[in-house]
Amino acid sequence: MTRIVLVTGGAGFLGSHLCERLINNGDEVLCVDNFFTGTRENISHLLDDRRFELLRHDVTFPLYVEVDRIYNLACPASPIHYQRDPVQTTKTSVIGAINMLGLAKRLKCPILQASTSEVYGDPEVHPQPESYWGRVNPLGVRACYDEGKRCAETLFFDYRRQHQLQIKVARIFNTYGPRMSMNDGRVVSNFIVQALRGDPITIFGDGAQTRSFCYVADLIDGLVGLMNTPPTFTGPVNLGRPDEFSMLELAKTVIDLTGSRSQVVYQPLPQDDPRVRKPDAGLAKAAIGWEPKTQLREGLKVTIAYFETQLRREKR
């Protein structure tokens, strides 16, 4: 039987890939987005598909539709975007979660929350297991996103306890791939665009801080796999590649793959920027059977090719 699946934030980087995967799996998709960071270009190839419907809507307002499943991905996810309007960012995470949970409650359908590794803040435990409560500055410039996502997780588990809602919570670690925005301020897109333009590659801090990098197709495998787990399994579950690279290692890899002559320059570290970030991915493997397959260099080659195309269009 064909399912109707709601994807909020469906025109964003991750959302567009999820919509595409669900349609390829035989589902019908209702893509909801207010285009704060998402773009029509990301889902333009789906617009003519009879199984795809696009609705422009802000999740901070109630939504009345009939669907069988909900993936709640709506929220700007890069510091540049979520700090542009921090109050709205918090509203999207919290009020948006309340509205989507209310919809799921009415429909008695499963709902998945796209949470984030940022709930761990600047961690004192490494790698970060799901049992770790985190170390987040509630007053800092990143708090609108970090605390908004933490509150959304609270709401999801309270709706489960109070209303027996079927919930899934995914904590997404750094993800990269085609359809990232060139101007989102994330390290992978920054480094690639700077290298392709021949600009200096900007590293904040000394370059020793680390991140794990998961290719988008692998991440989507994890989201779909999590949604398909039995109702008794809720998560939260880390979705990220369980290895790590320093910012300097990433910069050197991008320079190598692009053949760029860009030089590395250093700037002060932003407030509350985590020093380390790496998932403990044991639960994802045990509960979902999920392991990311794409090696960093392999995924970067595809991502670089995407940005080369984007930059050529920019020059026209």
Side-chain angles (χ1 to χ4, degrees), residues 1-78:
M1 188 177 82
T2 301
R3 290 182 298 249
I4 302 173
V5 183
L6 167 62
V7 180
T8 71
F13 163 49
L14 294 182
S16 63
H17 284 278
L18 178 59
C19 289
E20 187 175 69
R21 176 69 60 84
L22 293 171
I23 287 174
N24 289 339
N25 288 349
D27 292 323
E28 295 182 7
V29 172
L30 173 59
C31 168
V32 168
D33 208 295
N34 68 349
F35 297 106
F36 182 73
T37 56
T39 67
R40 289 182 68 89
E41 182 183 0
N42 285 341
I43 42 90
S44 60
H45 61 297
L46 302 175
L47 292 174
D48 292 331
D49 194 308
R50 62 177 180 78
R51 293 167 299 171
F52 180 81
E53 183 177 354
L54 174 63
L55 174 64
R56 185 164 191 157
H57 180 82
D58 187 328
V59 295
T60 62
F61 297 93
L63 181 63
Y64 303 100
V65 293
E66 302 295 322
V67 296
D68 302 306
R69 287 183 167 184
I70 301 170
Y71 288 82
N72 186 36
L73 275 63
C75 190
S78 74

Side-chain angles (χ1 to χ4, degrees), residues 114-125:
S115 191
T116 172
S117 62
E118 297 297 332
V119 300
Y120 299 122
D122 189 3
E124 298 169 302
V125 174

Side-chain angles (χ1 to χ4, degrees), residues 131-146:
S131 58
Y132 178 52
W133 290 354
R135 178 173 175 265
V136 173
N137 175 6
L139 307 178
V141 295
R142 301 169 70 101
C144 58
Y145 184 68
D146 300 2

Side-chain angles (χ1 to χ4, degrees), residues 140-154:
V141 295
R142 301 169 70 101
C144 58
Y145 184 68
D146 300 2
E147 296 287 34
K149 289 289 191 177
R150 285 163 68 93
C151 185
E153 287 195 15
T154 300

Side-chain angles (χ1 to χ4, degrees), residues 94-311:
V94 178
I95 300 174
I98 291 170
N99 286 332
M100 291 305 106
L101 286 162
L103 178 62
K105 177 188 170 187
R106 180 177 69 82
L107 298 174
K108 296 182 174 59
C109 74
I111 180 170
L112 182 147
Q113 167 68 4
S115 191
T116 172
S117 62
E118 297 297 332
V119 300
Y120 299 122
D122 189 3
E124 298 169 302
V125 174
H126 190 69
Q128 295 80 57
E130 290 86 352
S131 58
Y132 178 52
W133 290 354
R135 178 173 175 265
V136 173
N137 175 6
L139 307 178
V141 295
R142 301 169 70 101
C144 58
Y145 184 68
D146 300 2
E147 296 287 34
K149 289 289 191 177
R150 285 163 68 93
C151 185
E153 287 195 15
T154 300
L155 286 162
F156 266 68
F157 280 91
D158 281 339
Y159 264 78
R160 177 173 175 80
R161 284 184 284 262
Q162 190 169 337
H163 303 295
Q164 294 74 54
L165 203 61
Q166 292 185 49
I167 67 163
K168 311 288 180 183
V169 175
R171 290 178 177 165
I172 299 172
F173 283 67
N174 287 55
T175 306
Y176 69 98
R179 299 184 205 145
M180 295 182 80
S181 168
M182 286 195 295
N183 304 310
D184 63 8
R186 301 185 197 189
V187 63
V188 172
S189 51
N190 268 5
F191 285 5
I192 290 175
V193 170
Q194 288 170 340
L196 291 175
R197 287 175 171 163
D199 297 336
I201 291 183
T202 306
I203 288 181
F204 296 96
D206 60 7
Q209 66 270 35
T210 65
R211 298 290 186 272
S212 62
F213 298 101
C214 184
Y215 186 63
V216 62
D218 291 333
L219 188 280
I220 299 303
D221 286 344
L223 290 177
V224 174
L226 175 58
M227 180 63 97
N228 290 333
T229 54
T232 52
F233 182 73
T234 62
V237 59
N238 291 334
L239 294 180
R241 190 172 177 84
D243 49 18
E244 59 186 328
F245 296 86
S246 72
M247 297 300 95
L248 187 56
E249 287 177 306
L250 177 66
K252 289 180 177 178
T253 302
V254 168
I255 289 170
D256 177 48
L257 292 175
T258 57
S260 176
R261 295 183 179 180
S262 295
Q263 300 296 310
V264 172
V265 297
Y266 296 88
Q267 292 189 7
L269 198 66
Q271 181 187 355
D272 298 327
D273 193 63
R275 296 160 296 153
V276 292
R277 184 61 55 74
K278 174 185 174 181
D280 180 331
L283 180 60
K285 183 176 181 180
I288 310 174
W290 180 80
E291 287 184 283
K293 302 178 180 67
T294 309
Q295 298 294 327
L296 181 62
R297 290 181 68 91
E298 179 186 347
L300 284 176
K301 288 177 183 177
V302 180
T303 310
I304 288 167
Y306 169 79
F307 279 113
E308 285 175 332
T309 301
Q310 295 300 104
L311 287 170

